[in-house]
């Protein structure tokens, strides 16, 4: 979040008495938000994902489906959601037998409409299965079956999606952003 916007959000959050709690997934945020983090009754640090939950014994790893691609995360422009149709168009030039499974939630209805309009415009709708939000077990099963994780993110600090995928021996195709390099 932009530092100025972060400051404004903090001011409003401190003044809002009806908030039950404020949760962050990065411990650095408790330093940046020291005024809020002093309120131990409301401020909580959450670890976003425990890699141990994705542990599978080697002998129980299923066969990867060579036609299955998986994408999951926040379905927002900075995570590359609008790049996906164009990536699939390129893939379609070389391989027609593929299916992209997408998990996550669109934060804005406009983004969802635009994304599906792009898929329809380029005749890609049959190559995509939108699954919505998945719990950890469903997510693990999708990662186990997928041949590759498509991860066209422009913005990341530490990607749990990439970490979980590699842990389950699912290849990752991503942009060369500094964090992933």
């Amino acid at each position: 979040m932009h530092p100025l916007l972060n400051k404004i959000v903090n001011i409003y959050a401190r003044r809002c008495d009806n908030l039950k709690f404020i949760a962050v997934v990065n411990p650095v945020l408790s330093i940046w938000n020291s005024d809020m983090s002093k309120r131990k009754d409301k401020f909580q640090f959450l670890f976003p994902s425990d890699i141990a939950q994705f542990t599978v014994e080697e002998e129980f790893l299923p066969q990867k489906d060579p036609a299955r691609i998986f994408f999951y995360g926040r379905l927002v422009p900075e995570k590359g959601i609008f790049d996906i149709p164009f990536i699939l168009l390129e893939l379609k030039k070389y391989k027609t037998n593929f299916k992209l499974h997408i998990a996550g939630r669109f934060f804005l209805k406009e983004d969802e409409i635009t994304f599906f309009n792009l898929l329809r415009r380029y005749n890609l709708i049959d190559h995509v299965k939108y699954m919505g939000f998945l719990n950890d077990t469903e997510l693990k099963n999708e990662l186990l079956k997928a041949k590759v994780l498509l991860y066209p993110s422009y913005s990341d600090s530490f990607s749990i999606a990439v970490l979980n995928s590699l842990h389950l021996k699912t290849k990752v195709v991503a942009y060369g952003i500094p964090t992933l390099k």
Side-chain angles (χ1 to χ4, degrees):
M1 195 181 296
H2 189 278
L4 182 58
L5 182 57
N6 192 33
K7 186 175 183 177
I8 293 168
V9 168
N10 289 343
I11 290 168
Y12 282 103
R14 277 196 306 270
R15 292 180 186 165
C16 189
D17 291 328
N18 63 348
L19 287 177
K20 292 189 188 239
F21 69 93
I22 300 164
V24 297
V25 294
N26 184 339
V28 173
L29 293 176
S30 64
I31 297 165
W32 291 351
N33 302 295
S34 59
D35 289 346
M36 279 196 299
S37 64
K38 289 175 188 169
R39 297 196 58 191
K40 300 294 182 201
D41 60 322
K42 287 193 175 193
F43 195 87
Q44 300 175 21
F45 172 70
L46 304 175
F47 187 70
S49 181
D50 178 5
I51 194 72
Q53 71 188 344
F54 285 83
T55 299
V56 177
E57 297 298 323
E58 191 74 32
E59 60 269 15
F60 295 113
L61 284 173
Q63 187 72 26
K64 299 286 186 182
D65 179 348
R68 183 177 258 168
I69 305 166
F70 188 49
F71 171 84
Y72 77 101
R74 291 182 298 121
L75 304 182
V76 294
E78 59 268 23
K79 293 297 182 181
I81 194 69
F82 295 136
D83 290 27
I84 288 175
F86 301 104
I87 293 168
L88 296 182
L89 269 177
E90 283 299 309
L91 182 59
K92 200 172 172 183
K93 290 178 184 176
Y94 304 99
K95 183 176 182 159
T96 55
N97 180 28
F98 67 87
K99 189 80 160 192
L100 173 66
H101 291 219
I102 297 177
R105 287 190 184 120
F106 286 93
F107 284 81
L108 298 174
K109 189 67 176 170
E110 294 85 5
D111 289 347
E112 183 176 0
I113 291 166
T114 301
F115 176 72
F116 284 102
N117 283 343
L118 284 168
L119 292 177
R120 279 187 281 283
R121 180 186 305 159
Y122 296 112
N123 296 317
L124 294 164
I125 202 80
D126 292 337
H127 289 285
V128 175
K129 178 181 179 185
Y130 175 57
M131 304 165 67
F133 178 80
L134 300 181
N135 66 37
D136 287 341
T137 303
E138 295 165 325
L139 189 62
K140 178 180 173 181
N141 288 334
E142 279 298 314
L143 282 170
L144 282 168
K145 295 174 193 168
K147 178 74 172 180
V148 66
L149 175 78
L150 177 62
Y151 200 74
S153 178
Y154 289 98
S155 170
D156 251 309
S157 57
F158 184 80
S159 173
I160 297 296
V162 169
L163 183 64
N164 286 339
S165 298
L166 294 174
H167 183 68
L168 294 176
K169 299 188 180 350
T170 302
K171 295 174 180 144
V172 177
V173 175
Y175 290 146
I177 60 175
T179 304
L180 297 179
K181 282 185 178 180

